Amino acid sequence: MSEFQKMSDRLSETGLYEVSSNSLIYAELKAYSEGLDMFFNELDEMLRECFVETAESYGLTMRESWLKRYNPDRTTASRRNAIIKALSVCQTDYTFEGMRKIRDSFNLNGNFYSYTSPLKVTFECTDTLTNSQKTILSNQMKKFMPCWLDFELISN
């Protein structure tokens, strides 16, 4: 129900006003309702973009920017999933499962390998990455590695 209809119904119920298409009150309510409809539509969009599960545009882009992830060619669902995975990573996720969460938060494909001499973890990415993306990914993953492990990123 539009704001015009709500206001019209409420005023008509009082019996004080007759809201007909040729009355001044009709024109006034139409003008008010245009502004109110626009305002409430903006509020609905803002509320939707506040939550990852319902965001569709700037809510996802803003979070991807904060998390240094940008996936413009991905679907909305995969972007949401990547953000949720990124937000679920914590400092204790230095296991292979934790490293997979980090990988998934970038919407990447690849495998992890560990070596004992020297102590090193290698991520072999099967996706094509730019140098900038390699740097960001490497820096993000290093944050979750124990200090005694070395990290290496291999990409096409």
Side-chain angles (χ1 to χ4, degrees):
M1 179 181 284
S2 72
E3 290 305 310
F4 172 78
Q5 193 61 47
K6 289 178 192 174
M7 291 187 293
S8 176
D9 290 348
R10 288 188 182 121
L11 284 176
S12 294
E13 288 171 3
T14 66
L16 298 173
Y17 299 96
E18 182 182 331
V19 183
S20 60
S21 61
N22 58 354
S23 66
L24 291 176
I25 192 74
Y26 178 88
E28 188 176 358
L29 290 180
K30 271 297 198 186
Y32 289 145
S33 70
E34 290 295 320
L36 288 171
D37 284 340
M38 186 172 53
F39 176 73
F40 287 125
N41 288 338
E42 289 290 323
L43 283 177
D44 287 341
E45 180 185 3
M46 186 173 57
L47 182 62
R48 191 174 49 251
E49 295 297 324
C50 282
F51 300 98
V52 176
E53 292 83 6
T54 56
E56 296 174 352
S57 62
Y58 67 85
L60 294 176
T61 304
M62 184 174 55
R63 283 177 182 83
E64 287 168 337
S65 173
W66 292 340
L67 296 167
K68 299 207 182 333
R69 278 124 173 111
Y70 187 63
N71 303 305
D73 300 332
R74 307 292 181 157
T75 65
T76 301
S78 72
R79 290 173 69 197
R80 285 180 186 151
N81 188 38
I83 291 168
I84 290 169
K85 288 200 184 243
L87 294 173
S88 73
V89 174
C90 64
Q91 286 299 106
T92 60
D93 282 331
Y94 55 83
T95 62
F96 276 116
E97 183 59 34
M99 288 182 245
R100 287 185 198 103
K101 283 195 319 190
I102 296 168
R103 177 201 62 201
D104 293 346
S105 75
F106 282 93
N107 276 329
L108 293 174
N109 299 301
N111 297 305
F112 288 95
Y113 302 99
S114 65
Y115 303 97
T116 55
S117 180
L119 292 173
K120 180 167 75 171
V121 172
T122 300
F123 175 60
E124 187 176 342
C125 184
T126 57
D127 296 325
T128 304
L129 300 173
T130 65
N131 286 335
S132 173
Q133 290 170 325
K134 288 178 190 177
T135 302
I136 290 170
L137 179 62
S138 184
N139 289 338
Q140 288 287 321
M141 286 194 170
K142 283 179 184 177
K143 291 178 184 176
F144 293 94
M145 298 291 158
C147 61
W148 64 87
L149 278 178
D150 196 16
F151 177 76
E152 178 183 24
L153 172 66
I154 300 172
S155 175
N156 300 335

